[in-house]
Amino acid sequence: MKKKIIRILFWLTISPILLVLLCNFAINSSAEGKTFSRIEQVPKNRVGLVLGTSKKLANGRPNLYYSYRIRATIALFKAEKIEFVLVSGDNGTQYYNEPTTIKKDLVAGGIPEEKIFLDYAGFRTLDSMVRAKEVFGLKKVTVISQEFHNQRAIYLAERKGLTAVGFNATDVTGNSGMKVHLREYLARVKVFIDLIINTQPKFYGEHIEIE
């Protein structure tokens, strides 16, 4: 009886770890060769999709994930690797508007306003990728975020019929970066749960043509 209990406890402990590792491996393998850190290596796509995040952290400090994504998007546009930018982020309240904030910084960085389109309902990466295809009519896209996020976005995109590559913004190191990377493991498990239960975006809406 004691040995049986030990075996049960062992599998209860090891199974979640194996699940996390398996999900992580599947997403990394799927995105292999599809993310790029050097501009000259990135395939040209008509539209670059920058995934939103907050400009500042809860403590009021600048969010480096945000700053690096802005920088990467501007560099990609100026290198003529993309012609338009689709900004997808959270606009959950009148006081929090990721897409508009990102657009202001992209325009300040030299991207013409008319080249930027906003997706105000990109509450999650899944929403952003599905809406890029279903609402904005994209068949191919260059996702702009940190590499770990690009990998997950590419996996979701391909499962939803959207061809995607990723341009990797600079990652964040230190304690804050470690915390985000640890949360990413759980986010990757959530990807498979969402696919299994066929989770849909919170909103769809009318078709918007990027031109």
Side-chain angles (χ1 to χ4, degrees):
M1 185 66 180
K2 186 176 180 180
K3 289 182 178 179
K4 185 177 181 180
I5 292 174
I6 291 173
R7 283 199 299 269
I8 292 173
L9 290 175
F10 171 80
W11 284 111
L12 286 175
T13 302
I14 200 70
S15 294
I17 297 173
L18 291 175
L19 177 63
V20 168
L21 292 176
L22 181 61
C23 293
N24 189 63
F25 175 78
I27 288 176
N28 284 346
S29 298
S30 178
E32 188 173 355
K34 299 172 186 174
T35 66
F36 305 88
S37 298
R38 295 171 59 182
I39 286 183
E40 60 269 23
Q41 296 176 334
V42 184
K44 184 174 180 178
N45 264 328
R46 185 166 168 269
V47 179
L49 169 59
V50 56
L51 297 174
T53 187
S54 59
K55 185 171 183 175
K56 292 188 177 182
L57 302 173
N59 59 14
R61 292 182 178 180
N63 180 0
L64 291 178
Y65 286 103
Y66 177 97
S67 303
Y68 292 150
R69 291 180 201 181
I70 296 293
R71 185 189 303 174
T73 305
I74 293 170
L76 206 60
F77 183 86
K78 290 185 174 181
E80 299 183 346
K81 290 291 186 172
I82 54 174
E83 299 174 31
F84 297 92
V85 178
L86 173 60
V87 181
S88 184
D90 189 346
N91 179 35
T93 73
Q94 62 177 323
Y95 305 106
Y96 187 77
N97 190 325
E98 289 177 356
T100 298
T101 302
I102 292 172
K103 179 180 178 180
K104 288 179 181 177
D105 286 334
L106 292 179
V107 171
I111 299 181
E113 187 173 358
E114 65 272 15
K115 297 290 186 179
I116 303 172
F117 290 76
L118 304 183
D119 176 8
Y120 293 105
F123 299 107
R124 301 173 52 202
T125 305
L126 181 145
D127 297 53
S128 298
M129 306 318 295
V130 173
R131 285 175 55 81
K133 177 177 182 287
E134 300 298 337
V135 176
F136 293 88
L138 302 183
K139 296 181 179 178
K140 297 171 60 179
V141 72
T142 298
V143 185
I144 306 164
S145 187
Q146 279 67 31
E147 183 176 15
F148 66 87
H149 196 187
N150 283 339
Q151 290 170 335
R152 175 158 50 92
I154 289 169
Y155 187 89
L156 281 165
E158 293 185 343
R159 295 306 176 278
K160 298 296 182 179
L162 176 65
T163 300
V165 296
F167 181 55
N168 302 327
T170 303
D171 207 347
V172 177
T173 57
N175 290 335
S176 58
M178 185 180 298
K179 290 177 183 177
V180 171
H181 280 271
L182 288 174
R183 288 199 299 268
E184 177 65 16
Y185 284 108
L186 298 180
R188 293 185 173 201
V189 174
K190 187 67 164 58
V191 164
F192 291 90
I193 295 173
D194 285 334
L195 291 173
I196 290 169
I197 66 177
N198 196 28
T199 300
Q200 296 298 311
K202 190 172 183 179
F203 298 111
Y204 277 96
E206 297 181 4
H207 180 78
I208 299 173
E209 190 72 28
I210 296 182
E211 59 181 6

